[in-house]
Amino acid sequence: MIDTPDAPTVAAIPMIDGIPLTPKAVTTIGMASMAPAATVAEERLRRKQKLAGALRIFGRFGFGEGVAGHITVRDPEFPDHFWVNPLGLSFRHMRVSDLILVNHHGEVVYGQHSVNRAAYVLHAAVHAARPDVMAAAHAHSVYGKAFSALGVPLDPLTQDSCAFYEQNVVIADHGGAVVFEVEAGRDFAQAFGQHRAAIHQNHGHFTVGATVDEAVFWYVCFERCAQAQLLAMAAGTPKHIPHASAVYTRENAGSAAVGWMHFQPLWQEITRTDPELFE
């Protein structure tokens, strides 16, 4: 009798609910909306919807302060015009139909309500100076105001703050004064340079991005990083993340795409709870 080796045993593929536990082709939630819209009209509507939702998110975070604060986004067909919230309407009540279109001369060309002149002066100057900027955000949030009074840049104290490492600047000129003059806006835009965020001394912070999503998330993130730095400074002497590590983190976890992605949970929440924003 000749012994033969046993045939190799083929391990059964584990399964859950009838689905084999094998590697799958996956997609990132929300990524489909990053693709260009089919028409200019569709892209305009998308930007306006994101803007109305972003303003409601600002309201939910408590960033409202009377009639101060604004988010702007460039029109896709007329890039020297931007959509913005009208003066006097609560962030929390914003709808797509409430938004107004303003040219770089500060004239409302679409809509029936007035614009906050400070929104025009500062945001128009930044949009004009930075063709790469599609959206800009600013509000009078508590920690941004408090931090701006120090006249210092945001430090690399946490992983999140590394997104702003070498990407934030303090602007002292006209700080604390209501900016109504076009020349002051140009000074602000020049000092802003190519940074992602600016701290207008004794005023608050501004953030920009290639989308509403990115600009708004960076604003929220900066606010929380400013809060963290204020707490750390009050408690002792903060330890800075070393330069190489801060740069590495910024480049790998602080890109424009990452900023866009971080906004998506906020967008999901506001569209589910506030569907009237689309009106």
Side-chain angles (χ1 to χ4, degrees), residues 8 44 49 61 63 69 79 82 86 96 101 139 149 155 160 165 171 182 184 217 246 256:
R44 177 179 294 121
Q49 289 173 341
F61 277 120
F63 293 164
F82 58 83
V96 168
L101 184 66
D155 291 328
D160 293 334
Y165 183 60
I171 302 175
V182 173
F217 176 75

Side-chain angles (χ1 to χ4, degrees), residues 10-87:
V10 177
I13 297 176
M15 304 181 76
I16 294 177
D17 298 331
I19 298 175
L21 304 186
T22 55
K24 302 291 190 293
V26 298
T27 59
T28 300
I29 293 173
M31 192 61 73
S33 67
M34 288 193 77
T39 66
V40 169
E42 288 180 13
E43 178 60 27
R44 177 179 294 121
L45 178 59
R46 178 193 292 179
R47 294 186 188 187
K48 291 174 68 178
Q49 289 173 341
K50 286 292 179 73
L51 178 55
L55 287 158
R56 285 187 177 237
I57 288 167
F58 266 28
R60 183 165 293 184
F61 277 120
F63 293 164
E65 189 81 15
V67 299
H70 20 264
I71 306 173
T72 55
V73 63
R74 233 184 255 279
D75 184 81
E77 185 176 7
F78 306 103
D80 57 344
H81 292 62
F82 58 83
W83 295 93
V84 63
N85 48 301
L87 178 68

Side-chain angles (χ1 to χ4, degrees), residues 15-179:
M15 304 181 76
I16 294 177
D17 298 331
I19 298 175
L21 304 186
T22 55
K24 302 291 190 293
V26 298
T27 59
T28 300
I29 293 173
M31 192 61 73
S33 67
M34 288 193 77
T39 66
V40 169
E42 288 180 13
E43 178 60 27
R44 177 179 294 121
L45 178 59
R46 178 193 292 179
R47 294 186 188 187
K48 291 174 68 178
Q49 289 173 341
K50 286 292 179 73
L51 178 55
L55 287 158
R56 285 187 177 237
I57 288 167
F58 266 28
R60 183 165 293 184
F61 277 120
F63 293 164
E65 189 81 15
V67 299
H70 20 264
I71 306 173
T72 55
V73 63
R74 233 184 255 279
D75 184 81
E77 185 176 7
F78 306 103
D80 57 344
H81 292 62
F82 58 83
W83 295 93
V84 63
N85 48 301
L87 178 68
L89 182 61
S90 168
F91 289 162
R92 299 182 72 173
H93 294 168
M94 203 65 58
R95 300 171 301 170
V96 168
S97 59
D98 294 318
L99 300 173
I100 58 176
L101 184 66
V102 180
N103 63 24
H104 281 187
H105 300 295
E107 300 161 332
V108 176
V109 298
Y110 188 105
Q112 300 178 350
H113 301 293
S114 57
V115 65
N116 184 329
R117 182 166 175 80
Y120 150 65
V121 168
L122 294 177
H123 284 236
V126 171
H127 280 293
R130 295 276 301 274
D132 60 306
V133 168
M134 293 297 113
H138 167 65
H140 289 188
S141 48
V142 173
Y143 295 107
K145 288 192 293 185
F147 191 80
S148 75
L150 300 176
V152 299
L154 191 73
D155 291 328
L157 303 185
T158 64
Q159 185 180 99
D160 293 334
S161 66
C162 289
F164 304 101
Y165 183 60
E166 299 178 327
Q167 279 290 324
N168 75 101
V169 62
V170 177
I171 302 175
D173 288 349
H174 312 290
V178 178
V179 179

